[in-house]
Amino acid sequence: MLKSVHCILLLAALAYAAWIEWSVLTSAGLLWGIFFGFFIVPFALFAVLGLAPKKMPARE
């Protein structure tokens, strides 16, 4: 259950980052898109992965 919630959060964060990246690309141009792409997408990825538990609890 926790793993599926984590995957859903990861996909949502990456989809949101991709939407931001697309809006920057279409409105500001390629150079701004590349500039923000090096920040927004990795930040979304590491922010979600940082919230993930380090060790899954053992089932009893």
Side-chain angles (χ1 to χ4, degrees), residues 19-30 32-34 36-37 40:
W19 176 75
I20 291 173
E21 182 67 26
W22 178 254
S23 66
V24 168
L25 274 172
T26 57
S27 63
L30 181 63
W32 280 109
I34 291 170
F36 281 109
I40 293 173

Side-chain angles (χ1 to χ4, degrees), residues 35-54:
F35 173 73
F36 281 109
F38 283 119
F39 174 72
I40 293 173
V41 174
F43 178 75
L45 179 65
F46 288 120
V48 172
L49 290 177
L51 296 174
K54 303 294 180 232

